[in-house]
Amino acid sequence: MRLLVLGVLAATFVAQAVGALLPHVPLLLAATTGSLAAEGVLYRWQRGMVSLFAKSHADVTVRHVLRDLLLVVGLLRLGEQHRETVYAPLVAGLLAFYGLHWAIQAVSVLVRRTRTPPVVTRNIDTSALRLSPAPPLLLRRPGHRLAVFGLPTTAGLLATAATDAPVYGAAGLALSLAVALAGLGALLPRLLPGRRPAGEQEVLDWFEAWLAEYRPTVGLYFSGGASSAYQANMWLEPLARLDGRPLIVLRERHMVQRIAATDLPVVCLPKVSTLMLLEHSTLRVLLHPSNSGKTSQVVRIPTIKHAFVNHGESDKLSSCNPYAKAYDEVWVAGPAARERYALAEVGVEDKDVVEIGRPQLDAVRPYAGPPAPGVFTTVLYAPTWEGWDGNPGNTSVIGAGENLVRALLADPGVRLLYKPHPLTGSVDPRAGAADLRIRELVRAANRERGGPRPDASAVAALTRRTAELDRLTSAGFRPAADQVERMLCGSAPEPGRARAVTRATAAWEEAYWASLPDGEHQVVTDARPSLYACFNEADLLISDVSSVISDFLASGKPYAVANTSGLAEDVFRTSFPTVAAATVLTPDATGVPALLDAVRHPELDERAGARAELALRLLGPAEPPSQERFAGAVRALCARAGEHRARRAERTAAELPLPAPRRHPAPLSVASASAAPEARSRS
C-alpha cells in the first residue's frame, strides 16, 4: 500500500509536469486532481509516509508549491506570450499567499515558544501563570494549514486552466489570502505582553514559591518512554497512602499525561538547571522505580536521599543491576532479593538493602479453592518481553507461546486470558510476529466456541461503569490542547477524587468480567483490566522468569514457568529461585494437561507448601503489612536525610570566614553630614 501511494504520487507529479510543458489541458487537470487525491489518502491512511517524505525533504509544503508552480507554468504555456500580462496578477497573488503562509509559520513558532513552560504540572493550581487555551491546531501545523488554506487557490487555478478564464484563479486566490490573513490575525495578538503566559523566569519563581508552600517530603522520580509509564503507575497508590506530602517528579513532557489518575502533585522538570531547584526544597527522599540515563542527573543532589524501589522483582539481571549502587538504599520485597544482590557482587552493600515487601499486592486476593465443577478453569498466560540482551530464555512468546496457547485452547474447560507485555516485539520482530499469531489463535478459538452472550443489562452496566470511570480519570482535553492548556485544565483535583476512582475501578472490574460471554477467551492489552485484576480472575498463571510470578505468589495459586532457556530443568530451577515452586513447562507444552488436572484437583497439587515458603522468601512476611513497612522505610530515610542536612549546614557554617568586625565611623558634624549627600550625588 505504501509503495502504491508513493508510486501514484510520483506519477501524478510527472504527468502534471508533462501536461504543463506540452501543454495538454486534460492531462494537466487529471494529474493535478490525482495528486490531490493521493495527498488525501496519504494523510488519512498512510501517516507513516508523511514523516518519510519529510525526512526526504519532500514534505507537504514542497509538494504543494510544486503543484501550484506546475499549474502556473501550464497557464503561461497555454496563454503564450500575449497572455502573460493577464496571468501576472495571479502569479503575484500566489507569491503573496505563500508569503503569508511563511509569516503565519514564523508567528506560530514564536507563539509556541511562549507556550513552552520550563515546568509542566498536573494537580497543581496554576492560576497565577496567566495560562490560556491553545491556538487552533490548524494554525500550528504548517503542512495541514497550507493544504487547507491553499486548496481554494489550487482549485481556482485548475478551473482557470480548464476554461481559460482568469476570474476563477483570482477568486480562489482571494479566498486563500482571506483565510491566511484571518489566521495571522488570530495568532498575532497572542504575542502581546498581556496575552502571553508567564515567562520562563516568572514560572521558575512561581515554582520555587509553590515548593516552599507545599513543602514536599518524599517524591517519586521517573524518566522513560511512553510505554514504560506502568513502571511509575504501580507506585502511585502506595505513595498516596503515605503520611506527609508526596510529589511525582518527571523529566519528559509527554509523560505528564501518561501518569495514571492520581491526586498527587505532578511536576515535569525537563532541564537539569530546573531540576536543581529541588536541592533547596524540603524534599528529602526520592524513590526510583527504574534506572534511566537521566537518573544520574538527580542522584547528585546532595540534600536528597535516593532509594531504588524497582518496578518488580525477578531473577533477571535487571533486578540486580550494578547501577543500584548509585542509590543511598535499595528497597526490595523480601530476603531472596537481598541474597540476589549479595551473590551478584555489584557493589550494593547489605546494610543498604531494606526489605519492604510489595505494597501494591494488597489488591491481590488470596487463593479461595479450585474452580467449581462445571465452571471454566481460567488460565492467565502473561509472558514477559524479549529484553535487550537477546537471551532466548527471556520470553516464551517466540519459542513456546503458540504451543502453550494451542494446548490450553485444546481443553474445552479452559478460558484463556492472554496478556502480553507492553514491550513485546519492541526489540525482536519475531516476538511481535509470534504475538500476532497467538492473538489470531485466540480469535479463531472464540469463533469455534460460540456460546450464549450476556444479557443486555450486563453490557449496559459495563457501559455505565466505563463512562463513570472515564469521567473520573480522563483529563477531558481538547485534541488541540498543548502543554499550557493541559496545565490550565489539570489544576488542583476535587477533594476525594482518588477514593472515588478506587471505588469506580472496583465497580468497573466487576462489571467487565460479568459482561463477558461465559468461557470466551480474552486478549488483554488495554490498561484495564489491570494485571492484578487478571490475577484475581485466574486459577492458574503461566509466565516467564519475571516479576509477574513473584507478584502472583501473593495469591497462593498454582503457577507455571515456560523454560525456553535451553537449560535442563534442575539447572533452570537452580539458576532462577523464583521457579522453585513452579511447574516447569517445556517449549512443546506437553505438561499442560497434567498441570490443569493439578489445578482442578488440589490433592494432585504437590507444590502448595513450596509456594507458601517461596512467597515468604520473595515477598517477606505478611505482618507487619507491606504498606506499613514501606512507610517506615520512608520515615527512616527522611530522618537520615534530615540528619545529613543538619551536619552539612554545620560544616558549611564552620568553613565560612567570620565577617570582619565593623568599624564605627566618627560622628559627623552637622556641616559635613549635610554635605555628604551632595558629594555622593556629584560622584
Side-chain angles (χ1 to χ4, degrees):
M1 183 64 179
R2 290 185 176 184
L3 292 177
L4 178 62
V5 173
L6 178 62
V8 169
L9 200 57
T12 55
F13 276 114
V14 172
Q16 191 182 8
V18 173
L21 294 174
L22 284 178
H24 190 279
V25 175
L27 179 60
L28 181 62
L29 296 178
T32 306
T33 305
S35 176
L36 291 172
E39 290 283 355
V41 172
L42 189 69
Y43 275 89
R44 179 63 178 85
W45 291 290
Q46 294 292 325
R47 292 296 183 92
M49 293 290 292
V50 175
S51 60
L52 179 62
F53 275 117
K55 292 176 182 177
S56 304
H57 302 286
D59 60 10
V60 65
T61 303
V62 173
R63 298 194 302 272
H64 198 86
V65 170
L66 180 59
R67 190 179 297 114
D68 286 348
L69 176 64
L70 290 173
L71 277 174
V72 171
V73 170
L75 289 175
L76 294 176
R77 293 282 294 163
L78 286 168
E80 300 299 340
Q81 296 296 326
H82 68 282
R83 300 300 299 276
E84 287 184 0
T85 56
V86 176
Y87 291 119
L90 296 182
V91 175
L94 189 62
L95 293 176
F97 168 71
Y98 279 106
L100 275 175
H101 164 70
W102 284 309
I104 295 173
Q105 181 58 20
V107 175
S108 175
V109 170
L110 294 176
V111 170
R112 185 175 69 245
R113 288 179 179 176
T114 66
R115 298 180 65 83
T116 306
V119 179
V120 183
T121 66
R122 214 177 100 188
N123 297 337
I124 298 175
D125 182 6
T126 55
S127 57
L129 298 180
R130 304 189 306 278
L131 305 183
S132 61
L137 192 60
L138 187 63
L139 298 179
R140 289 152 36 204
R141 292 184 174 178
H144 291 73
R145 181 179 65 245
L146 182 59
V148 173
F149 287 6
L151 187 59
T153 293
T154 305
L157 293 177
L158 274 173
T160 297
T163 63
D164 196 23
V167 65
Y168 295 111
L173 273 168
L175 182 56
S176 291
L177 287 170
V179 294
L181 283 170
L184 185 61
L187 284 176
L188 279 173
R190 291 177 177 271
L191 296 178
L192 297 174
R195 295 284 302 273
R196 291 198 301 262
E200 180 173 353
Q201 189 56 52
E202 189 176 352
V203 173
L204 294 178
D205 292 342
W206 167 85
F207 179 61
E208 285 191 277
W210 179 84
L211 284 173
E213 179 183 359
Y214 181 66
R215 298 184 62 80
T217 53
V218 57
L220 182 76
Y221 179 91
F222 188 73
S223 171
S227 60
S228 62
Y230 72 95
Q231 299 172 356
N233 287 335
M234 68 171 59
W235 285 99
L236 296 182
E237 188 172 348
L239 189 69
R241 295 204 300 260
L242 292 174
D243 294 330
R245 291 169 295 280
L247 174 68
I248 299 171
V249 180
L250 306 175
R251 300 302 309 282
E252 290 81 21
R253 297 174 186 269
H254 65 83
M255 286 300 302
V256 175
Q257 304 307 324
R258 300 277 180 175
I259 296 298
T262 179
D263 287 355
L264 298 177
V266 179
V267 298
C268 176
L269 311 176
K271 294 182 180 179
V272 177
S273 57
T274 310
L275 182 69
M276 291 301 119
L277 295 177
L278 298 178
E279 180 176 358
H280 304 292
S281 72
T282 57
L283 190 65
R284 295 190 173 189
V285 169
L286 277 177
L287 309 178
H288 299 260
S290 68
N291 297 312
S292 72
K294 293 181 180 178
T295 301
S296 62
Q297 298 171 352
V298 72
V299 294
R300 62 186 180 183
I301 297 180
T303 58
I304 298 176
K305 293 293 183 182
H306 302 270
F308 181 58
V309 296
N310 213 335
H311 53 274
E313 294 193 27
S314 70
D315 295 320
K316 292 189 292 187
L317 293 177
S318 58
S319 290
C320 51
N321 193 307
Y323 195 92
K325 61 177 174 284
Y327 304 98
D328 296 285
E329 292 183 352
V330 176
W331 294 0
V332 300
R338 181 186 294 276
E339 296 167 9
R340 188 185 306 121
Y341 274 105
L343 292 173
E345 297 181 352
V346 293
V348 177
E349 298 186 26
D350 187 71
K351 65 180 180 62
D352 295 327
V353 178
V354 180
E355 298 176 27
I356 64 166
R358 288 278 286 163
Q360 297 88 349
L361 301 184
D362 291 349
V364 178
R365 294 197 294 265
Y367 179 63
V375 175
F376 284 99
T377 302
T378 300
V379 180
L380 171 62
Y381 178 40
T384 190
W385 68 303
E386 58 269 25
W388 299 109
D389 57 7
N391 189 325
N394 285 343
T395 179
S396 60
V397 169
I398 299 174
E402 292 171 83
N403 292 334
L404 291 170
V405 169
R406 285 194 184 95
L408 292 168
L409 297 178
D411 189 313
V414 164
R415 177 181 64 154
L416 174 64
L417 306 179
Y418 173 54
K419 188 172 178 61
H421 193 283
L423 297 179
T424 298
S426 60
V427 172
D428 191 337
R430 296 177 301 164
D435 170 56
L436 293 177
R437 291 193 296 270
I438 290 173
R439 298 186 191 202
E440 181 54 37
L441 287 173
V442 174
R443 285 191 290 267
N446 280 334
R447 288 193 295 267
E448 293 180 3
R449 171 164 286 184
R453 310 295 297 181
D455 57 36
S457 62
V459 177
L462 177 62
T463 302
R464 289 195 305 272
R465 297 301 186 185
T466 302
E468 179 184 4
L469 189 54
D470 287 344
R471 179 182 59 81
L472 291 170
T473 58
S474 63
F477 302 131
R478 298 184 305 132
D482 60 1
Q483 294 173 6
V484 168
E485 184 173 340
R486 293 188 185 106
M487 286 176 62
L488 176 65
C489 298
S491 191
E494 298 178 2
R497 186 184 65 173
R499 290 190 298 273
V501 169
T502 300
R503 291 192 299 268
T505 301
W508 181 90
E509 289 175 353
E510 182 179 353
Y512 172 79
W513 299 117
S515 70
L516 299 177
D518 190 28
E520 183 178 78
H521 310 294
Q522 300 296 320
V523 177
V524 183
T525 56
D526 294 334
R528 300 194 297 250
S530 67
L531 177 63
Y532 295 158
C534 293
F535 282 1
N536 294 333
E537 191 71 11
D539 301 301
L540 165 69
L541 168 72
I542 299 178
S543 188
D544 304 320
V545 175
S546 70
S547 61
V548 172
I549 57 178
S550 301
D551 287 353
F552 190 76
L553 281 166
S555 70
K557 300 173 184 178
Y559 73 102
V561 179
N563 179 12
T564 56
S565 65
L567 301 174
E569 181 176 331
D570 57 340
V571 179
F572 185 61
R573 290 184 183 276
T574 304
S575 302
F576 303 104
T578 52
V579 184
T583 297
V584 176
L585 297 174
T586 55
D588 59 9
T590 54
V592 167
L595 172 63
L596 293 173
D597 285 342
V599 172
R600 291 161 177 158
H601 307 285
E603 65 275 10
L604 301 178
D605 182 7
E606 300 176 352
R607 302 188 181 277
R611 288 197 298 274
E613 294 177 5
L614 184 60
L616 185 62
R617 285 193 63 232
L618 291 178
L619 305 176
E623 294 295 334
S626 181
Q627 179 67 31
E628 187 176 324
R629 284 182 280 157
F630 173 58
V634 169
R635 288 192 297 269
L637 194 55
C638 281
R640 280 185 57 192
E643 294 167 0
H644 176 260
R645 288 190 180 197
R647 291 193 300 269
R648 189 166 177 265
E650 291 176 2
R651 286 195 302 269
T652 302
E655 292 170 0
L656 288 175
L658 293 174
R662 181 179 299 177
R663 295 183 179 181
H664 297 283
L668 292 173
S669 64
V670 174
S672 59
S674 60
E678 297 180 6
R680 285 196 297 271
S681 65
R682 288 194 299 270
S683 63

